[in-house]
Amino acid sequence: MPLGLRRKKNKSRESSNLVENEEVGGQAGGSSVKSTVNGAGLPPPPANLRPKLVFHTQLAHGSPTGRIEGFTNVKELYGKIAETFNLSPPELLFCTLNTHKIDMEKLLGGQIGLEDFIFAHIKGIKKEVEVFKSEDALGLTITDNGAGYAFIKRIKEGSVVDNVKVISVGDHIDCINGKCIVGTRHYEVARMLKELPKDQTFTLKLVEPMKAFEMLEPRSKGAKPASDNKMGTGRGTLRLRAKGPATVEEVPTEFEEKAVKKVDDLLESYMGIRDTELAATMVEVGRDKKNPDEFAMALDEALGDFAFPDEFVFDVWGAIGDAKQGRF
């Protein structure tokens, strides 16, 4: 089936005990919606299929250390963390691995190193800001937490949003022009922002992550992902899958790391989002496909709620091929 003529599927979308007196290096320290990539909304697998792994966690702004286990997707992970610290799951914005800082290159996605330490960032100050859209592009890159919250991953220097100093990397986008977008996937949020009319003012309601006093510092614009960025520091990783139980895998190969980084760059270029788990899923889907048409149909089967442009699919297919040939 020619790539340009394939049919896109339209799918509907809509407690561990705290560890007393435990120290870690550095500072002590969602909502019930569907998430296709991270598996929210799917029934949990039987208990005997869940990895018997224990991870340590803290609240990023400061807390005792907790232990969590028995989760198989991001939504369940947030539920376990919330239970540990006696919070409501919607209070959690996102998690970072091995740092309490709002570091967008350390975001927890679909893989966790077996030795990684999880820091949970919870809701802090709410703010409302008016933005005059003087250019077609706002200069934002959007990601989400896999459980219904979209937030800002990067702000382009010199852009429209860069000139609005109260907007920061890590801010959760709660409403656009009074419309609540909780539960809306990041690619849809990026599209909504892109389609706002030029030369008009719009309103954003934002929620920034809670910060400890020692963490207060000038806002970050977000860093360009480094070529050697790892998806977990442990010697193995726990892969949280959209379908089926979580699995323990080897550390990603050089091919996987390079291919995922390139596909993530393409996601930002075409769709205004970054999502390493989505990129990893696309690389996995395309690993054994023989041509772009076969790859396109496999993407539709695996990720049917994403409407990918044909040009994007061709470029992703090329990126995976380049990684296989070691041309990066």
Side-chain angles (χ1 to χ4, degrees), residues 15-17 50-56 66-72 76-77 80-81 83-84 238:
S15 156
S16 303
N17 293 326
R50 300 190 181 200
K52 304 298 184 182
L53 302 172
V54 178
F55 293 87
H56 289 83
R67 290 191 179 102
I68 53 173
E69 61 182 315
F71 57 89
T72 191
E76 288 186 2
L77 167 62
K80 293 288 186 180
I81 294 174
E83 181 181 353
T84 296
L238 177 67

Side-chain angles (χ1 to χ4, degrees), residues 78-96:
Y78 285 4
K80 293 288 186 180
I81 294 174
E83 181 181 353
T84 296
F85 296 109
N86 196 27
L87 298 169
S88 171
E91 288 298 306
L92 274 64
L93 289 181
F94 56 84
C95 295
T96 50

Side-chain angles (χ1 to χ4, degrees), residues 143-191:
T143 189
D144 70 21
N145 68 352
Y149 285 171
F151 57 94
I152 298 170
K153 185 167 187 180
R154 184 179 302 158
I155 298 173
K156 184 178 180 180
E157 187 171 359
S159 65
V160 171
V161 170
D162 189 33
N163 293 321
V164 185
K165 300 307 180 184
V166 296
I167 300 177
S168 299
V169 166
D171 285 354
H172 160 51
I173 304 175
D174 185 61
C175 293
I176 300 175
N177 281 337
K179 179 181 179 181
C180 178
I181 61 165
V182 173
T184 303
R185 291 305 309 274
H186 51 343
Y187 58 90
E188 294 175 321
V189 176
R191 177 183 55 79

Side-chain angles (χ1 to χ4, degrees), residues 131-136 196-202:
V131 181
F132 180 72
K133 190 176 183 182
S134 57
E135 304 289 342
D136 290 326
L196 290 170
K198 186 180 175 182
D199 295 326
Q200 292 189 25
T201 298
F202 66 94

Side-chain angles (χ1 to χ4, degrees), residues 214-235:
E214 308 88 83
M215 295 170 60
L216 297 177
E217 56 188 18
R219 72 174 186 173
S220 168
K221 293 183 175 65
K224 197 73 174 177
S227 59
D228 60 352
N229 184 39
K230 307 290 183 182
M231 291 183 290
T233 61
R235 284 174 285 184

Side-chain angles (χ1 to χ4, degrees), residues 126-142:
K126 297 180 180 180
K127 50 194 179 185
E128 183 172 332
V129 59
E130 290 189 347
V131 181
F132 180 72
K133 190 176 183 182
S134 57
E135 304 289 342
D136 290 326
L138 291 170
L140 286 178
T141 298
I142 308 299

